[in-house]
């Protein structure tokens, strides 16, 4: 298959095709963090990229057994591609909230965005600029932290910010890797 499929086409593939792909990658039916990094050719990635993948992995590993099984895998892909915007934003928030304290500060935003850039390549803004734009637009009480409500309400009411955040989390590269079994360049 060529590399020109859209994300929707990739996701629209029959589930049994995804299942075959998934089982080929991890015959045990359980994808470990190590296998996940290997699948995405990130076994020698930078510390930022590695911590990002670990964070994504932990969020997708809904039963916290240290593995992503096929149902968790499909649920994750469906959320990222087809999920309602507030579901996606909750997921992004979890990803940004590095210490799990229920709020995001600028440092957390910069570190996760740095990691995303390490995987997705160049974005139009530096991680610091991105964090500044996000906080300037949606930190309504100016306390230097974003709660889940501030984050969701702020991003949903600002189309430009919504596009920036969605674009920064474009997982089509990851899906193409899984679909083709090899790394595509951007």
């Amino acid at each position: 298959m060529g590399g020109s499929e859209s994300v929707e086409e990739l996701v629209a593939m029959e589930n049994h095709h995804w299942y075959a792909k998934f089982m080929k990658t991890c015959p045990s039916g359980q994808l470990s963090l190590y296998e996940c990094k290997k699948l995405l050719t990130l076994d020698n990635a930078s510390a930022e990229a590695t911590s990002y993948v670990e964070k994504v992995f932990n969020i997708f590993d809904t039963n916290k057994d240290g593995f992503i099984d096929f149902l968790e895998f499909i649920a994750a892909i469906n959320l990222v591609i087809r999920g309602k915007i507030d579901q996606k934003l909750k997921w992004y928030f979890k990803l940004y909230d590095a210490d799990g304290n229920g709020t995001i500060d600028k440092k957390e935003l910069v570190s996760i965005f740095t990691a995303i850039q390490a995987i997705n390549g160049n974005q139009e803004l530096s991680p610091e600029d991105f964090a500044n734009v996000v906080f300037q637009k949606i930190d309504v009480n100016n306390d230097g932290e974003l709660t889940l409500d501030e984050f969701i309400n702020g991003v949903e009411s600002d189309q430009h910010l919504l596009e920036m955040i969605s674009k920064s989390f474009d997982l089509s590269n990851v899906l193409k890797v899984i679909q083709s079994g090899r790394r595509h360049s951007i």
Side-chain angles (χ1 to χ4, degrees):
M1 287 197 130
S4 62
E5 301 88 353
S6 72
V7 175
E8 284 73 21
E9 286 171 315
L10 293 178
V11 173
M13 284 190 304
E14 299 298 321
N15 275 358
H16 67 79
H17 186 89
W18 277 110
Y19 186 70
K21 255 306 165 204
F22 187 86
M23 294 309 285
K24 188 175 170 209
T25 305
C26 42
S28 66
Q30 304 271 300
L31 185 64
S32 69
L33 180 60
Y34 173 76
E35 287 165 326
C36 184
K37 285 184 195 168
K38 229 174 137 159
L39 175 72
L40 301 173
T41 62
L42 290 172
D43 24 2
N44 296 315
S46 68
E48 285 91 2
T50 298
S51 81
Y52 174 68
V53 170
E54 284 169 11
K55 193 109 177 89
V56 172
F57 183 90
N58 290 332
I59 292 172
F60 284 174
D61 176 19
T62 49
N63 65 0
K64 305 295 174 223
D65 64 355
F67 295 94
I68 296 177
D69 62 32
F70 183 67
L71 287 174
E72 289 170 328
F73 175 74
I74 285 294
I77 287 173
N78 279 325
L79 167 71
V80 170
I81 305 305
R82 295 205 187 108
K84 292 186 175 62
I85 192 64
D86 61 330
Q87 291 174 310
K88 287 185 189 183
L89 289 175
K90 271 185 189 147
W91 189 82
Y92 294 159
F93 184 87
K94 256 184 171 173
L95 199 53
Y96 283 145
D97 181 14
D99 60 11
N101 70 350
T103 61
I104 305 168
D105 60 38
K106 259 189 196 166
K107 203 169 136 237
E108 287 173 316
L109 203 52
V110 168
S111 79
I112 202 73
F113 200 67
T114 304
I116 291 165
Q117 280 191 333
I119 293 172
N120 279 350
N122 287 333
Q123 307 275 345
E124 51 217 55
L125 289 173
S126 74
E128 290 77 14
D129 289 343
F130 176 77
N132 287 335
V133 167
V134 170
F135 271 83
Q136 192 184 332
K137 286 178 180 258
I138 63 179
D139 183 16
V140 283
N141 59 3
N142 288 318
D143 64 353
E145 293 187 327
L146 299 176
T147 62
L148 179 61
D149 286 344
E150 271 181 318
F151 183 70
I152 289 178
N153 296 335
V155 176
E156 279 186 331
S157 63
D158 188 318
Q159 193 55 42
H160 178 64
L161 195 56
L162 181 58
E163 280 168 25
M164 270 174 51
I165 286 181
S166 301
K167 197 173 158 199
S168 77
F169 278 102
D170 180 5
L171 288 184
S172 52
N173 288 342
V174 173
L175 291 178
K176 281 178 184 165
V177 170
I178 294 166
Q179 150 64 9
S180 66
R182 65 181 187 284
R183 179 95 192 185
H184 279 275
S185 56
I186 298 169

